[in-house]
Amino acid sequence: MISAVIIDDEARSRETIREMLRLYCNGIEVVAEGEDVKSGIEAIKRHNPQLVLLDIKMPDGTGFDLLRQIMPVSFRIVFVTAYEEYAIKAFRFNALDYITKPIDPAELQSAIEKASSIIENEDINERLKKLLNDYMKFQVPENRKIILKTSETIHIVDIDNIVRCESDRNYTVFHLEDKTKILMSKTIKDYSDLLELHSFYRVHHSHLINLRFLVKFKRDELMCVLKDDTEIPVSTRRRDELLKVLRTL
């Protein structure tokens, strides 16, 4: 049996991966799970897994931050990403295995088979070092526009004109500076992975804000106030991280 650790900030995603491994990938035993960088590192150190399924974006950092803290590694890695174009570029450039959300069983099975076939790990750390360098290089924002495709219209939106994004279950509402609203049939996490490279911050499970429009943070009330006087709640777990982000502005 190959021991595996799943690291993903969404409980539903971890459950989905765990169940797919059970159904489609023989010989894999999930020995632990992590919901963020900190708990992921603890799980890896405690269980010394042979395989890690690693999400990219998490509340306290990225999967790359996790790897930087524990390298050199002795396990095989399958990266899991929702909508992270720069990460995908880096993965492809370095021929490292990744799967995208929503997860396709066939893709997962193929990635696990490839990872399981690797016996020697001596070159993994060199490839990871190059991956981390390439990721930083690729993520330099060159195009500050985003294409939002609905069933009726293709919107070409300047990222600087997006005030905030709001989750509506499996949909996301984009609120633009001119009061336009665009409803997209993707989750807010799909967009946060991309927009957080452009001065956006996910202050709450349901809210992603453009920090350019933030004028006030009411710490006692856990509330952000934007330029248009909209008040956006801040989750308790994201309060301290938001304060750190604000100190860098």
Side-chain angles (χ1 to χ4, degrees):
M1 295 287 286
I2 294 175
S3 58
V5 168
I6 301 171
I7 304 172
D8 193 300
D9 67 321
E10 295 186 342
R12 184 178 298 178
S13 292
R14 296 196 302 273
E15 182 181 351
T16 297
I17 294 171
R18 185 172 61 251
E19 185 64 11
M20 285 189 174
L21 289 173
R22 185 183 70 81
L23 292 173
Y24 303 105
C25 305
N26 294 328
I28 304 294
E29 179 186 10
V30 178
V31 295
E33 298 179 7
E35 63 180 3
D36 52 22
V37 172
K38 181 181 179 181
S39 62
I41 291 175
E42 291 173 353
I44 290 171
K45 289 182 176 180
R46 175 175 298 181
H47 296 277
N48 191 27
Q50 297 165 285
L51 173 68
V52 173
L53 293 101
L54 181 60
D55 193 13
I56 300 303
K57 214 68 167 179
M58 290 176 280
D60 59 345
T62 69
F64 299 130
D65 296 325
L66 182 151
L67 290 173
R68 288 189 185 97
Q69 293 182 48
I70 64 173
M71 286 181 67
V73 305
S74 59
F75 49 81
R76 307 151 212 180
I77 306 169
V78 173
F79 293 95
V80 182
T81 182
Y83 189 80
E84 235 291 20
E85 58 176 305
Y86 306 108
I88 290 174
K89 285 181 182 179
F91 296 150
R92 289 174 176 167
F93 196 75
N94 289 279
L96 287 165
D97 289 317
Y98 69 95
I99 53 178
T100 57
K101 298 178 183 179
I103 297 170
D104 178 84
E107 287 186 4
L108 175 63
Q109 189 175 34
S110 175
I112 295 297
E113 287 175 354
K114 288 179 183 178
S116 299
S117 67
I118 301 174
I119 300 175
E120 297 296 335
N121 289 289
E122 58 186 25
D123 71 328
I124 287 182
N125 287 288
E126 288 303 316
R127 291 167 69 184
L128 285 177
K129 288 178 184 177
K130 193 169 188 311
L131 168 68
L132 298 178
N133 290 334
D134 288 338
Y135 175 70
M136 296 303 296
K137 177 178 69 177
F138 289 143
Q139 74 170 327
V140 176
E142 296 177 354
N143 187 354
R144 296 192 62 84
K145 294 185 183 296
I146 185 172
I147 296 177
L148 302 176
K149 297 180 182 179
T150 68
S151 59
E152 300 177 348
T153 309
I154 298 176
H155 300 269
I156 303 173
V157 178
D158 190 323
I159 289 175
D160 289 338
N161 291 332
I162 301 171
V163 177
R164 60 189 178 94
C165 298
E166 182 177 3
S167 175
D168 184 4
R169 289 175 291 185
N170 290 325
Y171 294 82
T172 300
V173 181
F174 278 74
H175 295 262
L176 306 187
E177 190 172 12
D178 64 1
K179 307 300 183 182
T180 299
K181 297 180 182 179
I182 303 173
L183 179 66
M184 300 299 298
S185 57
K186 287 186 178 181
T187 68
I188 195 168
K189 188 175 190 301
D190 293 335
Y191 294 108
S192 67
D193 288 346
L194 172 64
L195 292 174
E196 284 182 0
L197 297 171
H198 298 270
S199 298
F200 282 71
Y201 185 74
R202 193 172 177 184
V203 296
H204 185 278
H205 181 75
S206 300
H207 297 281
L208 175 71
I209 66 170
N210 187 340
L211 294 174
R212 292 180 58 252
F213 292 93
L214 177 64
V215 295
K216 189 185 302 181
F217 175 35
K218 300 178 180 179
R219 289 185 288 184
D220 294 340
E221 300 176 34
L222 289 179
M223 195 72 67
C224 282
V225 181
L226 306 184
K227 286 183 179 179
D228 60 1
D229 293 325
T230 301
E231 294 193 343
I232 304 296
V234 177
S235 65
T236 303
R237 65 184 296 206
R238 297 179 188 270
R239 174 184 177 277
D240 291 342
E241 186 63 30
L242 175 60
L243 288 172
K244 291 179 183 178
V245 171
L246 295 180
R247 292 190 193 106
T248 67
L249 296 180

